[in-house]
Amino acid sequence: MRVPQPDRLRKQPPHQHRPGAGRLEALHTTRGSTPAEGKKEAKGYLHVACTELYTHFLLGDRSMKNFRQTVLADLEPGAIAVHDRYQAYDSTQLGDLNHQLCLAHVLRDLTSAAQLYPNEHWPIQLTDELRELIHRANQARTRGETSLPQRVTSIAVRGLRAAVRIGLAATAHLDNARPGARKSRLLLEAFHRREDDFLRFTTDLRIPPTSNQAERDLRPMKIQENISGRLTDLERAKDRYLIRGVLSTAVKHTVNPLTVLRDAFTGTTWLPPAARA
């Protein structure tokens, strides 16, 4: 039996809980598989856009049109999109959106590159330099600083650039048919062209170096799917993820999610501060 959803919560405009509804410094994005209508197999995707205070889920496909329906229209000037270089998040069609490419994904790709090229040092050097920058940024953030000292950044950047040059030369004439070879080459080319997008977190310590926030917000959905299975009805799935986005946002504002649900059933809808302003 389908449990009736609290109308005041379910029918609330989704943008009131989108990250762009308030002052936004860094928007994390990721995605996971989800059901299409009438299908038990995953035929669609659950997109997640979030900050430290807001969570928004959107069901859909992987098209640019679908991604534009998330929070892009609501983003304030200067907002940073933190993501894994997925094409929809990284497209030039999005205009002058600032990027911080997720270094957790980059480090995993470099681990694969080190296994693919065991006699090459460039994957290890890139990994060490990035880990050092992340470590220094965490320390500086703890001390209340707003950016990394130029001296620290300059030393790491020299090492990164040297490793990228070596990697590009070493992979210039390799057979791209090898599993992982093309991915490694594209990563090196991205480093060469978009250094600022990899290292933006060093210039403003409010910007996280990874999209781990989005991965954490997505994880409960994946655990629920693994235990209980996917919803096969699209409308039920939309209701579920709208409500989960509201509850996730409430938790980030230190509000008890059970209180939010109870109040919704009794006619009082909780709104985050930015939506009430």
Side-chain angles (χ1 to χ4, degrees):
M1 179 182 295
R2 185 179 184 183
V3 178
Q5 306 290 356
D7 286 344
R8 290 175 63 88
L9 186 59
R10 181 163 57 91
K11 295 181 179 179
Q12 184 176 320
H15 72 270
Q16 291 184 338
H17 292 279
R18 290 181 180 180
R23 177 131 170 49
L24 179 64
E25 298 300 343
L27 170 72
H28 305 249
T29 57
T30 191
R31 67 216 167 275
S33 60
T34 194
E37 188 168 11
K39 303 288 185 180
K40 293 184 178 181
E41 302 83 9
K43 298 296 184 181
Y45 286 84
L46 175 63
H47 294 266
V48 185
C50 61
T51 68
E52 292 183 351
L53 290 177
Y54 299 91
T55 307
H56 176 62
F57 297 110
L58 177 73
L59 285 172
D61 55 28
R62 297 193 293 178
S63 67
M64 177 59 64
K65 178 181 178 181
N66 184 73
F67 182 61
R68 286 180 180 276
Q69 295 173 8
T70 54
V71 297
L72 293 179
D74 299 327
L75 294 184
E76 296 185 3
I80 310 294
V82 187
H83 58 83
D84 59 358
R85 289 193 297 142
Y86 173 63
Q87 59 183 0
Y89 309 149
D90 208 27
S91 173
T92 56
Q93 296 181 40
L94 301 181
D96 296 329
L97 185 64
N98 294 315
H99 301 269
Q100 167 62 55
L101 304 180
C102 176
L103 296 188
H105 288 81
V106 171
L107 290 171
R108 286 198 291 270
D109 290 344
L110 288 173
T111 298
S112 299
Q115 296 171 352
L116 185 64
Y117 306 116
N119 297 323
E120 296 287 343
H121 185 68
W122 61 266
I124 298 172
Q125 184 172 341
L126 278 171
T127 298
D128 289 345
E129 298 290 2
L130 289 176
R131 289 190 184 278
E132 179 67 16
L133 280 174
I134 293 171
H135 176 63
R136 292 296 188 102
N138 289 337
Q139 289 181 322
R141 195 177 297 109
T142 300
R143 294 192 298 266
E145 300 175 14
T146 58
S147 63
L148 280 181
Q150 184 62 37
R151 178 182 59 83
V152 173
T153 305
S154 296
I155 294 173
V157 167
R158 285 199 298 270
L160 286 169
R161 288 174 179 172
V164 169
R165 286 196 300 269
I166 294 170
L168 287 172
T171 60
H173 304 293
L174 294 180
D175 182 7
N176 273 344
R178 298 176 64 194
R182 177 170 171 77
K183 188 174 185 179
S184 297
R185 176 72 186 186
L186 291 176
L187 178 60
L188 288 166
E189 292 175 353
F191 261 113
H192 181 66
R193 296 193 316 270
R194 305 178 58 183
E195 181 180 287
D196 289 346
D197 290 342
F198 284 93
L199 303 180
R200 200 173 302 279
F201 74 100
T202 65
T203 63
D204 187 341
L205 295 179
R206 294 172 300 179
I207 303 172
T210 73
S211 60
N212 288 348
Q213 179 70 60
E215 302 291 345
R216 286 194 295 269
D217 288 343
L218 180 65
R219 190 170 297 121
M221 315 301 123
K222 303 304 295 181
I223 292 174
Q224 184 175 41
E225 282 188 4
N226 291 337
I227 295 174
S228 304
R230 297 185 176 99
L231 290 175
T232 57
D233 181 84
L234 186 59
E235 292 306 313
R236 290 188 184 186
K238 287 181 178 179
D239 288 348
R240 168 185 284 182
Y241 295 127
L242 172 59
I243 293 171
R244 290 303 297 260
V246 173
L247 298 182
S248 175
T249 299
V251 169
K252 291 177 179 181
H253 284 80
T254 67
V255 177
N256 189 320
L258 293 179
T259 300
V260 173
L261 281 176
R262 182 200 63 199
D263 290 347
F265 275 107
T266 58
T268 303
T269 302
W270 176 82
L271 292 175
R276 296 196 297 266

